[in-house]
Amino acid sequence: MASAKSSRSRASVPSGPAAAAGLYQAANVAAGQESGVQLADKLKIFKTDNFDPDAYVQSKCQTMNEKEIRHLCSYLQDLKKASAEEMRKSVYANYAAFIRTSKEISDLERELLSIRNLLSAQAALIHGLAEGVHIDSLSPGSESSAEDDVSNVEDREPTEIEKWSAEFPDMLDVLLAERRVDEALDALDESECIAAEAKQNQSLSAAQLLSLQTAISDHRQKLADQLAEAACQSSTRGFELRAAASALKRLGDGPRAHTLLLNAHNQRLQYNMQIIHPISTSYGGAYTVALSQQVFSAIAQAVNDSLEVFGNESAYASELVRWSRKQAEAFAHLVKRHALASSAAAGGLRAAAECVQIAIGHCSLLEAHGLSLSSVLLKHFRPSVEQALDANLKRIEESTAALAAADDWVLMFPPSGARISGRTSATTVGVQPKLSSSAHHFNSMVQDFFEDVGPLLAMQLGGSTMDGLLKVFNSYINLLINALPGSMEDEANLEGSGNKIVRIAETEAQQLALLANASLLAEELLPRAAMKLSSMYLAGGIDDSRRKTPDRHNRIPEQREWKRKLHRSVDRLRDSFCRQHALDLIFTEDGDTHLSAEMYISMDGNVEEPEWAPSPIFQELYAKLNQMASVAADMFVGRERFATLLMMRLTETVILWLSEDQSFWEDIEEGPRPLGPLGLQQFYLDMQFVILFGQGRFLSRHVHQVIIDIIERAMAAFSATGMNPDSVLPSDDWFIDIAQETISRISGKARLANGDRELSSPTASVSAQSMSSVRSHGSN
């Protein structure tokens, strides 16, 4: 604490070479560089003992304008903050060694004082014995001489110092009895000087000097004991306590005085805390308020008394910090036991946050005295708060799961009075999101959760909070996956699904509602709610300017990564949806397949030429995509890209299955019956149909290339029979006409220009170019 305070003092009034150099650098910005002068010569002025920083600043500022002076002041303020922060980090980094060394120094000083007293007494004793032995007592007539000296002493009148030495003990007894401490201290100091002068001038005999020194030592001890007893009295207050400690320090027993000062404050604090009982308060916040007021007020008073009596001496400052930490830890244990424990166990995050906020608020007031104890409290509070966080997230998960069991998967606006996100998006219908009942409940609980967790940001729980919310969101996604028809077979593969009971989404509209829930939560509602957590705590600390102007979508890398994880969870639901619908298209209820090599190979065995049209599976795929797109247009308003990607993913799932089905290609390429002209023509027509209906809506570039590759593979298999594909395939216009006729029939849209396709349409042009390229590759 002392180090931190002194660092602030040095920062506020620059002194010494380092501070002067910083000031000099700032002053040079305004005054300009002096050419031809070495840096060492420039700094000589700051190294002199009579350097006056105030005069130097005034001399420099006379040539500076207002803007330059403001810049200099701003620079000095930043330097002051940086210096204080650096000193604080240095003190805490070596805190344990600093405390241990200070304690050892205090013990050593106490031992040295005892040794000095013992040596003084021993020297006085030896001196007295030496003066009492007379060499001439061994010579004849010495006895008569000694008798004469004694008689002379008895006969002569005592000196003033001898009279004072004889009266001194009685005078001190009177002063101590009347508790005239200052006068007793002055008398003891005076007696020390007189004893030293008498020893030097030999104005007192050895026995008298020894008696005087013994009286001084005894009365010093008596006064010290009297002061210690007074300091320990519960009735001793304020000024009296500081006076007793100051007197003990003046007696040379500073460590004992400081310890007694802290013990007195501790005793008073314990007495005041006896009237505070958890049962006497209505809730944990009131108990925390009453307790923190007593504890931190006592610490603040102890700090003030210590600084007033002992200043910033390191030994006393270290003991003060150690004592303050002990009181803070005891306070944290009480709050944790009587307020936080019950709130955390019950998942009462708001109550726990209130207790922590109250405690940290009172504790922060000590920073004005140079003492920071917030880290001590946070260390003890953190486990309980994390328990409350986990319980809260668990409650959100369980409550949402219970509602999902009865959710009818119909999108609706939130019920009247329900919580919605604080801000709206222009991409949503009106100002409120449309979700199913369980998703509305999930969103409302998340909004409340982020408001409750806001006061806990000082505990740096932003990361664990976001991870916990992501885990709860993944659990909800698992519920939505379970709601897909047929997904219960894969439930064991869903991490953390917990075999939750959930109502099945029977219709395609209900299934699309599942995706609407997930996409709106992941893209809009959850990131918007998470922005209530300050980016400073999510990123581990950023400056104020960045926090005032955040990027709405990608404020910091941690947030972007968190949003990517949300989207990956939604992708799991989307993939499950597409996989389930693709399997429904490809396989029958009996397990047979609608898409096999046999359907193409067997065509050349028929006598009659078939009525040309795309295969039923691909017509059904287009019909399903067309129907889903119509429903999704109402559900994904403002999020059309998500709906488009969903349709593309469904098309991709079917095409990739065809591309990767080894049995299909083994029959085409190595089967007993080769692929004939009619089979190749039908396969070519199916792929052309997919390209036409998917171009720009349901087909990605990747899947388009996959289709080109599998056409080339089929043509290569046909060429292996010794026939040229171009010799049996009609023109590209023939395929495009049939494909567009089927598209018009399924979509219900009439064709243009007497049934003729529009030759200049981009879709027809791109498709024709693609097919021409494929046919040229196949021919080669």
Side-chain angles (χ1 to χ4, degrees):
M1 182 208 69
S3 300
K5 185 175 181 64
S6 61
S7 69
R8 286 194 304 275
S9 301
R10 290 193 297 272
S12 60
V13 181
S15 62
L23 182 60
Y24 178 77
Q25 180 182 5
N28 262 344
V29 173
Q33 298 290 344
E34 299 178 5
S35 60
V37 182
Q38 297 295 327
L39 180 60
D41 296 334
K42 295 179 181 180
L43 295 178
K44 286 182 179 179
I45 185 174
F46 303 109
K47 298 181 179 180
T48 59
D49 295 335
N50 58 351
F51 173 72
D52 186 354
D54 293 334
Y56 181 80
V57 170
Q58 291 179 359
S59 66
K60 291 295 182 181
C61 290
Q62 289 177 355
T63 60
M64 299 169 63
N65 57 34
E66 180 181 356
K67 181 177 180 181
E68 292 171 337
I69 293 176
R70 289 182 180 274
H71 179 73
L72 176 59
C73 291
S74 175
Y75 172 79
L76 292 177
Q77 288 293 334
D78 293 341
L79 183 63
K80 175 181 176 181
K81 293 178 182 177
S83 176
E85 179 64 18
E86 184 67 24
M87 180 62 71
R88 185 185 68 82
K89 291 180 180 178
S90 177
V91 169
Y92 279 101
N94 304 278
Y95 192 74
F98 179 72
I99 294 295
R100 183 174 61 254
T101 303
S102 300
K103 183 177 179 182
E104 292 174 355
I105 291 174
S106 299
D107 295 340
L108 182 60
E109 289 177 348
R110 191 178 296 108
E111 292 177 1
L112 289 175
L113 180 61
S114 301
I115 293 173
R116 187 185 69 179
N117 293 335
L118 290 174
L119 290 177
S120 298
Q122 187 178 15
L125 179 60
I126 294 174
H127 181 70
L129 292 175
E131 289 185 349
V133 178
H134 297 286
I135 302 300
D136 56 357
S137 64
L138 300 177
S139 62
S142 60
E143 294 180 0
S144 60
S145 175
E147 292 174 356
D148 292 341
D149 291 339
V150 172
S151 62
N152 290 335
V153 171
E154 291 176 352
D155 292 340
R156 72 179 178 83
E157 194 70 27
T159 63
E160 291 296 328
I161 191 172
E162 290 174 341
K163 292 179 181 180
W164 181 88
S165 178
E167 297 173 354
F168 175 72
D170 295 333
M171 178 188 66
L172 276 181
D173 287 336
V174 172
L175 293 177
L176 293 181
E178 296 179 356
R179 298 187 179 276
R180 294 154 65 182
V181 177
D182 292 336
E183 295 180 35
L185 288 172
D186 294 338
L188 287 171
D189 291 342
E190 182 183 2
S191 65
E192 291 278 4
C193 296
I194 292 175
E197 184 178 353
K199 181 179 180 180
Q200 182 178 3
N201 300 334
Q202 296 182 353
S203 56
L204 290 175
S205 65
Q208 291 173 330
L209 182 61
L210 178 61
S211 176
L212 176 60
Q213 290 176 336
T214 302
I216 294 173
S217 179
D218 290 344
H219 284 83
R220 276 186 175 275
Q221 188 62 43
K222 288 181 181 180
L223 179 57
D225 293 340
Q226 186 181 94
L227 292 171
E229 182 181 359
C232 294
Q233 296 295 324
S234 59
S235 59
T236 303
R237 291 290 186 271
F239 173 77
E240 296 177 352
L241 179 61
R242 292 191 293 273
S246 180
L248 268 176
K249 180 186 178 185
R250 186 174 170 184
L251 284 172
D253 203 358
R256 182 187 183 190
H258 194 258
T259 301
L260 288 172
L261 176 70
L262 297 181
N263 288 342
H265 282 286
N266 182 63
Q267 181 180 2
R268 189 183 311 162
L269 173 61
Q270 298 304 319
Y271 175 80
N272 293 335
M273 287 173 58
Q274 291 178 0
I275 62 175
I276 303 175
H277 300 285
I279 58 175
S280 65
T281 57
S282 58
Y283 69 109
Y287 173 76
T288 306
V289 168
L291 194 65
S292 60
Q293 285 177 345
Q294 292 292 340
V295 172
F296 295 112
S297 295
I299 294 176
Q301 188 59 50
V303 171
N304 290 335
D305 290 350
S306 177
L307 291 176
E308 181 176 341
V309 177
F310 301 95
N312 287 322
E313 295 184 37
S314 59
Y316 304 127
S318 63
E319 185 181 15
L320 176 62
V321 172
R322 192 167 57 240
W323 178 85
S324 300
R325 288 176 64 91
K326 182 179 179 181
Q327 303 304 319
E329 288 176 350
F331 163 77
H333 283 300
L334 289 174
V335 172
K336 183 177 178 181
R337 186 187 351 167
H338 298 298
L340 278 180
S342 57
S343 299
L349 184 59
R350 182 169 299 179
E354 183 179 3
C355 291
V356 173
Q357 193 173 24
I358 291 170
I360 297 299
H362 282 89
C363 180
S364 62
L365 298 177
L366 294 175
E367 295 180 1
H369 301 273
L371 187 63
S372 178
L373 299 175
S374 298
S375 59
V376 178
L377 300 184
L378 296 179
K379 176 183 177 182
H380 290 277
F381 290 161
R382 188 181 182 97
S384 296
V385 173
E386 288 179 339
Q387 182 183 2
L389 279 173
D390 293 340
N392 228 266
L393 291 170
K394 188 68 174 178
R395 185 169 65 234
I396 295 175
E397 178 180 351
E398 293 177 349
S399 179
T400 305
L403 285 177
D407 200 333
D408 57 4
W409 310 120
V410 175
L411 300 184
M412 60 182 179
F413 292 115
S416 59
R419 290 186 53 84
I420 60 172
S421 179
R423 291 187 296 171
T424 59
S425 171
T427 61
T428 57
V429 177
V431 295
Q432 296 177 328
K434 289 184 69 174
L435 299 167
S436 70
S437 59
S438 63
H440 274 305
H441 184 72
F442 180 84
N443 179 47
S444 177
M445 295 188 73
V446 168
Q447 299 293 331
D448 290 337
F449 172 78
F450 274 109
E451 286 190 1
D452 293 344
V453 82
L456 302 176
L457 291 178
M459 302 186 73
Q460 298 180 348
L461 291 172
S464 59
T465 299
M466 303 301 287
D467 291 341
L469 183 61
L470 179 63
K471 182 179 178 181
V472 173
F473 181 69
N474 282 331
S475 178
Y476 184 61
I477 291 296
N478 290 338
L479 289 174
L480 300 181
I481 293 175
N482 286 343
L484 292 172
S487 62
M488 298 303 292
E489 299 175 0
D490 300 328
E491 185 177 348
N493 299 325
L494 295 177
E495 181 182 356
S497 62
N499 296 324
K500 302 291 187 181
I501 299 175
V502 62
R503 176 176 288 185
I504 301 299
E506 300 290 349
T507 66
E508 289 183 355
Q510 290 176 322
Q511 295 164 21
L512 287 173
L514 303 178
L515 290 159
N517 282 341
S519 63
L520 185 57
L521 287 171
E523 294 180 4
E524 292 277 346
L525 302 179
L526 295 186
R528 191 180 304 157
M531 290 178 68
K532 294 178 182 179
L533 288 179
S534 171
S535 59
M536 178 177 64
Y537 295 98
L538 287 174
I542 61 174
D543 56 31
D544 290 338
S545 61
R546 183 177 177 185
R547 194 166 64 244
K548 291 176 181 177
T549 57
D551 180 6
R552 182 179 181 273
H553 296 289
N554 298 316
R555 295 165 66 186
I556 48 177
E558 286 76 8
Q559 284 181 321
R560 292 197 297 270
E561 178 60 27
W562 187 72
K563 288 184 66 175
R564 278 195 291 268
K565 291 179 179 179
L566 291 177
H567 291 157
R568 283 198 289 269
S569 297
V570 178
D571 289 344
R572 289 196 298 111
L573 174 62
R574 183 200 63 189
D575 292 344
S576 297
F577 172 87
C578 294
R579 182 172 59 253
Q580 187 60 41
H581 281 275
L583 292 176
D584 290 342
L585 287 170
I586 295 171
F587 294 99
T588 65
E589 294 182 358
D590 299 330
D592 296 333
T593 178
H594 291 297
L595 184 58
S596 64
E598 181 65 22
M599 60 185 285
Y600 297 108
I601 294 174
S602 61
M603 292 184 65
D604 287 276
N606 296 329
V607 178
E608 297 181 0
E609 184 174 349
E611 295 183 5
W612 292 105
S615 298
I617 182 176
F618 295 106
Q619 293 189 45
E620 187 177 352
L621 172 63
Y622 173 63
K624 183 180 289 290
L625 290 172
N626 210 37
Q627 180 180 353
M628 286 184 178
S630 177
V631 176
D634 296 330
M635 290 188 176
F636 296 90
V637 176
R639 289 172 290 122
E640 289 81 3
R641 176 174 171 77
F642 180 86
T644 300
L645 292 177
L646 175 64
M647 305 307 163
M648 287 183 175
R649 179 58 178 164
L650 178 55
T651 306
E652 178 182 0
T653 304
V654 175
I655 297 301
L656 289 182
W657 187 93
L658 175 62
S659 173
E660 298 170 359
D661 185 9
Q662 295 300 324
S663 61
F664 179 90
W665 292 106
E666 287 176 1
D667 291 342
I668 292 291
E669 298 172 337
E670 303 174 4
R673 290 180 298 167
L675 180 65
L678 296 179
L680 176 63
Q681 188 172 345
Q682 180 65 53
F683 187 83
Y684 197 92
L685 174 60
D686 289 343
M687 295 302 101
Q688 173 73 340
F689 176 66
V690 174
I691 290 177
L692 278 174
F693 77 66
Q695 196 75 38
R697 292 186 65 195
F698 309 131
L699 200 64
S700 65
R701 292 182 179 179
H702 169 68
V703 179
H704 186 276
Q705 184 59 47
V706 171
I707 293 175
I708 300 300
D709 293 339
I710 62 177
I711 291 176
E712 290 181 352
R713 187 173 181 180
M715 294 178 69
F718 181 80
S719 299
T721 62
M723 300 180 66
N724 185 357
D726 282 336
S727 64
V728 298
L729 291 177
S731 66
D732 289 337
D733 291 343
W734 183 85
F735 291 103
I736 294 174
D737 281 337
I738 295 177
Q740 285 193 338
E741 180 68 32
T742 306
I743 291 173
S744 299
R745 175 173 50 81
I746 295 175
S747 63
K749 297 179 180 179
R751 299 192 58 185
L752 301 176
N754 299 322
D756 296 332
R757 63 182 174 91
E758 188 178 4
L759 296 178
S760 61
S761 67
T763 300
S765 176
V766 172
S767 300
Q769 293 176 10
S770 299
M771 294 301 102
S772 298
S773 175
V774 172
R775 295 179 67 166
S776 64
H777 282 295
S779 300
N780 295 332

